[in-house]
mmCIF file of all heavy atoms in Angstrom:
data_model
loop_
_atom_site.group_PDB
_atom_site.id
_atom_site.type_symbol
_atom_site.label_atom_id
_atom_site.label_comp_id
_atom_site.label_asym_id
_atom_site.label_seq_id
_atom_site.Cartn_x
_atom_site.Cartn_y
_atom_site.Cartn_z
ATOM 1 N N ASP A 151 19.030 16.908 -15.474
ATOM 2 C CA ASP A 151 18.242 17.722 -14.554
ATOM 3 C C ASP A 151 19.054 19.090 -14.454
ATOM 4 O O ASP A 151 20.006 19.331 -15.162
ATOM 5 C CB ASP A 151 18.152 17.053 -13.144
ATOM 6 C CG ASP A 151 19.329 17.285 -12.303
ATOM 7 O OD1 ASP A 151 20.456 17.440 -12.902
ATOM 8 O OD2 ASP A 151 19.220 17.299 -11.065
ATOM 9 N N THR A 153 20.848 20.487 -12.056
ATOM 10 C CA THR A 153 22.215 20.535 -11.597
ATOM 11 C C THR A 153 23.130 19.980 -12.670
ATOM 12 O O THR A 153 24.305 20.492 -12.849
ATOM 13 C CB THR A 153 22.355 19.600 -10.344
ATOM 14 O OG1 THR A 153 22.094 18.261 -10.681
ATOM 15 C CG2 THR A 153 21.441 20.102 -9.283
ATOM 16 N N GLU A 154 22.698 19.031 -13.507
ATOM 17 C CA GLU A 154 23.534 18.544 -14.635
ATOM 18 C C GLU A 154 23.702 19.573 -15.688
ATOM 19 O O GLU A 154 24.872 19.839 -16.225
ATOM 20 C CB GLU A 154 22.947 17.260 -15.226
ATOM 21 C CG GLU A 154 23.084 16.137 -14.296
ATOM 22 C CD GLU A 154 22.214 14.964 -14.708
ATOM 23 O OE1 GLU A 154 21.077 15.097 -15.156
ATOM 24 O OE2 GLU A 154 22.654 13.823 -14.574
ATOM 25 N N GLY A 157 26.125 22.041 -14.399
ATOM 26 C CA GLY A 157 27.466 21.419 -14.503
ATOM 27 C C GLY A 157 28.022 21.571 -15.944
ATOM 28 O O GLY A 157 29.150 21.910 -16.158
ATOM 29 N N ARG A 171 37.147 19.588 -13.171
ATOM 30 C CA ARG A 171 36.882 18.380 -12.457
ATOM 31 C C ARG A 171 35.576 18.382 -11.752
ATOM 32 O O ARG A 171 34.694 17.547 -11.806
ATOM 33 C CB ARG A 171 37.971 18.153 -11.399
ATOM 34 C CG ARG A 171 38.156 16.790 -10.968
ATOM 35 C CD ARG A 171 39.094 16.874 -9.728
ATOM 36 N NE ARG A 171 40.496 16.486 -9.992
ATOM 37 C CZ ARG A 171 41.394 16.294 -9.107
ATOM 38 N NH1 ARG A 171 41.136 16.491 -7.834
ATOM 39 N NH2 ARG A 171 42.638 16.008 -9.429
ATOM 40 N N LEU A 172 35.265 19.582 -11.173
ATOM 41 C CA LEU A 172 34.075 19.783 -10.367
ATOM 42 C C LEU A 172 32.884 19.742 -11.258
ATOM 43 O O LEU A 172 31.814 19.174 -11.011
ATOM 44 C CB LEU A 172 34.169 21.138 -9.615
ATOM 45 C CG LEU A 172 33.472 21.338 -8.326
ATOM 46 C CD1 LEU A 172 33.808 20.369 -7.316
ATOM 47 C CD2 LEU A 172 33.709 22.758 -7.846
ATOM 48 N N ALA A 173 33.107 20.540 -12.449
ATOM 49 C CA ALA A 173 31.901 20.686 -13.382
ATOM 50 C C ALA A 173 31.604 19.378 -14.001
ATOM 51 O O ALA A 173 30.392 18.990 -14.181
ATOM 52 C CB ALA A 173 32.312 21.705 -14.405
ATOM 53 N N LEU A 174 32.595 18.651 -14.321
ATOM 54 C CA LEU A 174 32.320 17.353 -15.052
ATOM 55 C C LEU A 174 31.584 16.394 -14.129
ATOM 56 O O LEU A 174 30.586 15.731 -14.506
ATOM 57 C CB LEU A 174 33.666 16.647 -15.501
ATOM 58 C CG LEU A 174 33.494 15.343 -16.271
ATOM 59 C CD1 LEU A 174 32.722 15.603 -17.594
ATOM 60 C CD2 LEU A 174 34.747 14.680 -16.481
ATOM 61 N N ARG A 175 31.994 16.291 -12.882
ATOM 62 C CA ARG A 175 31.388 15.443 -11.925
ATOM 63 C C ARG A 175 29.829 15.858 -11.749
ATOM 64 O O ARG A 175 28.955 14.980 -11.813
ATOM 65 C CB ARG A 175 32.060 15.574 -10.549
ATOM 66 C CG ARG A 175 32.000 14.340 -9.736
ATOM 67 C CD ARG A 175 32.526 14.506 -8.444
ATOM 68 N NE ARG A 175 33.890 15.006 -8.325
ATOM 69 C CZ ARG A 175 34.403 15.496 -7.256
ATOM 70 N NH1 ARG A 175 33.679 15.543 -6.146
ATOM 71 N NH2 ARG A 175 35.659 15.894 -7.226
ATOM 72 N N GLN A 176 29.616 17.235 -11.818
ATOM 73 C CA GLN A 176 28.247 17.602 -11.617
ATOM 74 C C GLN A 176 27.446 17.298 -12.940
ATOM 75 O O GLN A 176 26.255 16.986 -12.866
ATOM 76 C CB GLN A 176 28.169 19.062 -11.359
ATOM 77 C CG GLN A 176 26.858 19.575 -10.916
ATOM 78 C CD GLN A 176 26.861 21.044 -10.422
ATOM 79 O OE1 GLN A 176 27.929 21.423 -9.811
ATOM 80 N NE2 GLN A 176 25.832 21.722 -10.761
ATOM 81 N N ALA A 177 28.084 17.550 -14.079
ATOM 82 C CA ALA A 177 27.470 17.301 -15.366
ATOM 83 C C ALA A 177 27.028 15.817 -15.561
ATOM 84 O O ALA A 177 26.168 15.460 -16.217
ATOM 85 C CB ALA A 177 28.288 17.786 -16.534
ATOM 86 N N GLU A 178 27.823 14.988 -14.852
ATOM 87 C CA GLU A 178 27.542 13.566 -14.942
ATOM 88 C C GLU A 178 26.564 13.051 -13.886
ATOM 89 O O GLU A 178 26.404 11.792 -13.717
ATOM 90 C CB GLU A 178 28.856 12.813 -14.873
ATOM 91 C CG GLU A 178 29.765 12.975 -16.062
ATOM 92 C CD GLU A 178 30.972 12.026 -16.012
ATOM 93 O OE1 GLU A 178 31.467 11.765 -14.913
ATOM 94 O OE2 GLU A 178 31.345 11.525 -17.084
ATOM 95 N N GLY A 179 25.926 13.955 -13.246
ATOM 96 C CA GLY A 179 24.873 13.572 -12.254
ATOM 97 C C GLY A 179 25.343 13.455 -10.861
ATOM 98 O O GLY A 179 24.653 12.831 -9.972
ATOM 99 N N GLY A 180 26.507 13.975 -10.514
ATOM 100 C CA GLY A 180 27.077 13.932 -9.191
ATOM 101 C C GLY A 180 26.294 14.528 -8.066
ATOM 102 O O GLY A 180 26.263 14.106 -6.917
ATOM 103 N N LEU A 181 25.417 15.515 -8.501
ATOM 104 C CA LEU A 181 24.536 16.147 -7.531
ATOM 105 C C LEU A 181 23.103 15.637 -7.606
ATOM 106 O O LEU A 181 22.345 15.496 -6.746
ATOM 107 C CB LEU A 181 24.543 17.653 -7.636
ATOM 108 C CG LEU A 181 25.797 18.331 -7.184
ATOM 109 C CD1 LEU A 181 25.661 19.893 -7.280
ATOM 110 C CD2 LEU A 181 26.167 18.006 -5.751
ATOM 111 N N ARG A 182 22.794 15.293 -8.943
ATOM 112 C CA ARG A 182 21.328 14.774 -9.173
ATOM 113 C C ARG A 182 20.974 13.689 -8.395
ATOM 114 O O ARG A 182 20.032 13.555 -7.674
ATOM 115 C CB ARG A 182 21.225 14.535 -10.686
ATOM 116 C CG ARG A 182 19.875 13.935 -10.973
ATOM 117 C CD ARG A 182 19.845 13.507 -12.455
ATOM 118 N NE ARG A 182 18.459 13.308 -12.854
ATOM 119 C CZ ARG A 182 18.024 13.244 -14.140
ATOM 120 N NH1 ARG A 182 18.816 13.484 -15.098
ATOM 121 N NH2 ARG A 182 16.788 13.078 -14.461
ATOM 122 N N LYS A 183 21.949 12.663 -8.310
ATOM 123 C CA LYS A 183 21.748 11.314 -7.660
ATOM 124 C C LYS A 183 21.407 11.522 -6.157
ATOM 125 O O LYS A 183 20.386 11.159 -5.605
ATOM 126 C CB LYS A 183 22.820 10.438 -7.929
ATOM 127 C CG LYS A 183 22.735 9.840 -9.364
ATOM 128 C CD LYS A 183 23.790 8.766 -9.592
ATOM 129 C CE LYS A 183 24.046 8.555 -11.068
ATOM 130 N NZ LYS A 183 25.136 9.342 -11.539
ATOM 131 N N PRO A 184 22.353 12.148 -5.405
ATOM 132 C CA PRO A 184 22.088 12.332 -3.975
ATOM 133 C C PRO A 184 20.861 13.200 -3.661
ATOM 134 O O PRO A 184 20.060 12.922 -2.863
ATOM 135 C CB PRO A 184 23.358 12.940 -3.414
ATOM 136 C CG PRO A 184 24.063 13.449 -4.560
ATOM 137 C CD PRO A 184 23.745 12.646 -5.766
ATOM 138 N N PHE A 185 20.717 14.285 -4.416
ATOM 139 C CA PHE A 185 19.478 15.128 -4.194
ATOM 140 C C PHE A 185 18.205 14.422 -4.430
ATOM 141 O O PHE A 185 17.242 14.549 -3.737
ATOM 142 C CB PHE A 185 19.556 16.413 -5.054
ATOM 143 C CG PHE A 185 20.732 17.334 -4.588
ATOM 144 C CD1 PHE A 185 21.093 18.451 -5.424
ATOM 145 C CD2 PHE A 185 21.353 17.260 -3.397
ATOM 146 C CE1 PHE A 185 22.146 19.303 -5.075
ATOM 147 C CE2 PHE A 185 22.398 18.081 -2.988
ATOM 148 C CZ PHE A 185 22.731 19.144 -3.786
ATOM 149 N N GLU A 186 18.172 13.628 -5.564
ATOM 150 C CA GLU A 186 16.937 12.881 -5.845
ATOM 151 C C GLU A 186 16.700 11.810 -4.831
ATOM 152 O O GLU A 186 15.609 11.542 -4.357
ATOM 153 C CB GLU A 186 16.921 12.260 -7.240
ATOM 154 C CG GLU A 186 16.685 13.400 -8.338
ATOM 155 C CD GLU A 186 16.513 12.796 -9.713
ATOM 156 O OE1 GLU A 186 16.830 11.584 -9.847
ATOM 157 O OE2 GLU A 186 16.049 13.554 -10.598
ATOM 158 N N TRP A 188 17.619 11.929 -1.634
ATOM 159 C CA TRP A 188 17.139 12.561 -0.460
ATOM 160 C C TRP A 188 15.668 12.892 -0.616
ATOM 161 O O TRP A 188 14.875 12.616 0.278
ATOM 162 C CB TRP A 188 17.858 13.805 -0.127
ATOM 163 C CG TRP A 188 19.325 13.670 0.298
ATOM 164 C CD1 TRP A 188 19.833 12.470 0.802
ATOM 165 C CD2 TRP A 188 20.338 14.623 0.310
ATOM 166 N NE1 TRP A 188 21.194 12.703 1.042
ATOM 167 C CE2 TRP A 188 21.494 13.957 0.792
ATOM 168 C CE3 TRP A 188 20.400 15.975 -0.083
ATOM 169 C CZ2 TRP A 188 22.743 14.657 0.926
ATOM 170 C CZ3 TRP A 188 21.615 16.634 0.085
ATOM 171 C CH2 TRP A 188 22.753 15.948 0.579
ATOM 172 N N LEU A 417 37.484 12.719 -5.044
ATOM 173 C CA LEU A 417 36.202 11.935 -4.961
ATOM 174 C C LEU A 417 35.877 11.560 -3.582
ATOM 175 O O LEU A 417 34.712 11.108 -3.269
ATOM 176 C CB LEU A 417 36.320 10.691 -5.842
ATOM 177 C CG LEU A 417 36.174 11.003 -7.299
ATOM 178 C CD1 LEU A 417 36.424 9.711 -8.097
ATOM 179 C CD2 LEU A 417 34.807 11.505 -7.626
ATOM 180 N N ASN A 419 35.038 13.380 -1.337
ATOM 181 C CA ASN A 419 33.938 14.254 -0.964
ATOM 182 C C ASN A 419 32.980 14.355 -2.159
ATOM 183 O O ASN A 419 33.048 15.241 -2.992
ATOM 184 C CB ASN A 419 34.395 15.661 -0.565
ATOM 185 C CG ASN A 419 33.188 16.544 -0.057
ATOM 186 O OD1 ASN A 419 32.024 16.041 -0.039
ATOM 187 N ND2 ASN A 419 33.571 17.658 0.225
ATOM 188 N N PRO A 420 32.055 13.335 -2.332
ATOM 189 C CA PRO A 420 31.318 13.260 -3.600
ATOM 190 C C PRO A 420 30.234 14.258 -3.801
ATOM 191 O O PRO A 420 29.912 14.725 -4.882
ATOM 192 C CB PRO A 420 30.693 11.848 -3.536
ATOM 193 C CG PRO A 420 30.660 11.504 -2.093
ATOM 194 C CD PRO A 420 31.663 12.229 -1.441
ATOM 195 N N ILE A 421 29.688 14.795 -2.704
ATOM 196 C CA ILE A 421 28.585 15.811 -2.839
ATOM 197 C C ILE A 421 29.193 17.202 -2.635
ATOM 198 O O ILE A 421 29.427 17.596 -1.401
ATOM 199 C CB ILE A 421 27.416 15.465 -1.912
ATOM 200 C CG1 ILE A 421 27.005 14.101 -2.075
ATOM 201 C CG2 ILE A 421 26.367 16.458 -2.081
ATOM 202 C CD1 ILE A 421 25.924 13.688 -1.046
ATOM 203 N N MET A 422 29.340 17.945 -3.687
ATOM 204 C CA MET A 422 29.896 19.314 -3.437
ATOM 205 C C MET A 422 28.942 20.318 -3.884
ATOM 206 O O MET A 422 28.615 20.352 -5.108
ATOM 207 C CB MET A 422 31.243 19.453 -4.141
ATOM 208 C CG MET A 422 32.369 18.779 -3.464
ATOM 209 S SD MET A 422 33.779 19.849 -3.741
ATOM 210 C CE MET A 422 34.884 18.932 -2.791
ATOM 211 N N ILE A 423 28.500 21.142 -2.993
ATOM 212 C CA ILE A 423 27.521 22.256 -3.365
ATOM 213 C C ILE A 423 28.377 23.237 -4.102
ATOM 214 O O ILE A 423 29.320 23.786 -3.594
ATOM 215 C CB ILE A 423 26.857 22.774 -2.167
ATOM 216 C CG1 ILE A 423 26.175 21.625 -1.367
ATOM 217 C CG2 ILE A 423 25.937 23.962 -2.511
ATOM 218 C CD1 ILE A 423 25.808 22.026 0.031
#
Side-chain angles (χ1 to χ4, degrees):
D151 83 331
T153 63
E154 287 166 322
R171 201 190 262 187
L172 206 61
L174 181 64
R175 212 187 300 163
Q176 190 173 326
E178 287 187 326
L181 288 184
R182 176 185 195 160
K183 287 183 198 96
F185 290 165
E186 280 189 349
W188 291 342
L417 284 172
N419 184 3
I421 307 173
M422 281 218 177
I423 302 164

